[in-house]
């Protein structure tokens, strides 16, 4: 469960108060992009709220020490507005980076799993290109494929559908919803509510505190 209880923070226009149960796809419409960025940083423990409390699966991210944060963040995957990649690593290196770092998987198995994940999202670009050489759609496809590999229980998506054509939006939405079918929790953050048209969210929140089911 993700819960914000009367949270205030720099760059948040109003206090945030909402709860997202496990296994739910929720949308949060912000007034500005910086609000979405702030919410992601609060959830990942990169910053603490000024007041109020944040709970993710019973843990308060800002109170965790470094070793605890590392384990905590392994359970949260991110798909960001530009994909969220390390710019000087090619797409293949970005895709397998986390699992390769953690070890425990044979190289041949890791490569096979990564190839299957790319096929599942329909990626047909050059995996040895740097992120800047691929379209925003291709970068987001690889970001979804990275989720398939790491299998986090919570997914944070920032401006996921912006910059995409309607057909590309549908493709990304289908890949994300397929991933979330087995009980994963997803939070879609955007300042552009039109980009969420056609996305089957279970809950929709607004930073002003309104809930629409």
């Amino acid at each position: 469960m993700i819960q914000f209880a009367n949270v205030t923070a720099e760059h948040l226009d109003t206090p945030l108060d909402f709860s997202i149960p496990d296994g739910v796809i929720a949308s949060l419409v912000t007034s500005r992009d910086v609000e979405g960025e702030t919410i992601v940083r609060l959830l990942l423990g990169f910053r603490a709220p000024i007041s109020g409390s944040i709970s993710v699966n019973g843990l308060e991210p800002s109170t965790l020490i470094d070793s605890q944060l590392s384990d905590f963040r392994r359970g949260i995957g991110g798909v960001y507005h530009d994909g969220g990649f390390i710019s000087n690593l090619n797409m293949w290196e970005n895709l397998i980076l986390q699992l390769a770092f953690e070890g425990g998987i044979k190289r041949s198995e890791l490569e096979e799993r990564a190839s299957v994940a790319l096929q599942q999202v329909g990626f047909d670009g050059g995996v040895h290109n740097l992120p800047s050489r691929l379209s925003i759609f291709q970068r987001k496809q690889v970001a979804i494929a990275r989720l398939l590999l790491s299998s986090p229980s919570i997914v944070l998506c920032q401006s996921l559908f912006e910059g995409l054509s309607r057909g590309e939006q549908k493709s990304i939405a289908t890949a994300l919803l397929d991933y979330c079918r087995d009980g994963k929790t997803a939070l879609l953050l955007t300042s552009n509510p039109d980009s969420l048209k056609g996305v089957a969210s279970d809950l929709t929140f607004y930073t002003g505190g309104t809930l629409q089911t």
Side-chain angles (χ1 to χ4, degrees):
M1 174 181 284
I2 297 173
Q3 186 169 35
F4 276 57
N6 201 30
V7 171
T8 64
E10 186 180 4
H11 303 307
L12 291 183
D13 291 343
T14 58
L16 281 181
D17 196 79
F18 65 88
S19 179
I20 302 173
D22 292 339
V24 164
I25 297 174
S27 298
L28 178 56
V29 180
T30 62
S31 60
R32 302 175 295 152
D33 287 342
V34 70
E35 280 196 302
E37 295 166 7
T38 298
I39 291 164
V40 169
R41 293 183 66 80
L42 289 166
L43 283 168
L44 293 175
F46 286 111
R47 63 184 303 177
I50 295 171
S51 64
S53 64
I54 299 168
S55 174
V56 182
N57 292 337
L59 300 173
E60 292 187 50
S62 64
T63 68
L64 302 178
I65 62 175
D66 288 347
S67 59
Q68 294 172 321
L69 270 174
S70 180
D71 290 336
F72 169 75
R73 289 171 181 160
R74 285 193 187 98
I76 302 176
V79 184
Y80 304 105
H81 62 92
D82 61 352
F85 299 108
I86 298 173
S87 60
N88 63 343
L89 297 182
N90 68 37
M91 296 307 292
W92 182 262
E93 292 166 333
N94 270 290
L95 175 61
I96 68 171
L97 180 63
Q98 180 178 336
L99 289 188
F101 176 77
E102 292 175 357
I105 302 176
K106 292 181 179 179
R107 188 76 180 186
S108 58
E109 180 184 349
L110 177 56
E111 291 181 352
E112 181 179 356
R113 287 175 57 183
S115 296
V116 169
L118 290 173
Q119 291 173 8
Q120 286 179 289
V121 299
F123 179 79
D124 59 2
V127 292
H128 299 296
N129 288 333
L130 294 175
S132 61
R133 300 296 300 274
L134 297 181
S135 69
I136 189 67
F137 173 57
Q138 291 172 324
R139 277 178 267 164
K140 289 179 179 180
Q141 283 182 308
V142 176
I144 298 292
R146 186 170 55 185
L147 295 178
L148 300 181
L149 283 181
S150 57
S151 194
S153 60
I154 295 174
V155 182
L156 306 178
C157 300
Q158 184 184 356
S159 303
L160 178 60
F161 302 108
E162 294 174 37
L164 304 178
S165 69
R166 285 298 181 190
E168 291 169 344
Q169 288 176 354
K170 183 177 180 180
S171 176
I172 291 295
T174 298
L176 177 65
L177 294 175
D178 284 347
Y179 174 74
C180 292
R181 286 190 199 285
D182 60 346
K184 304 295 193 300
T185 303
L187 176 58
L188 312 180
L189 298 128
T190 183
S191 61
N192 178 13
D194 285 344
S195 71
L196 296 174
K197 288 181 177 178
V199 179
S201 298
D202 299 302
L203 299 171
T204 299
F205 300 95
Y206 296 83
T207 51
T210 304
L211 166 64
Q212 175 184 321
T213 57

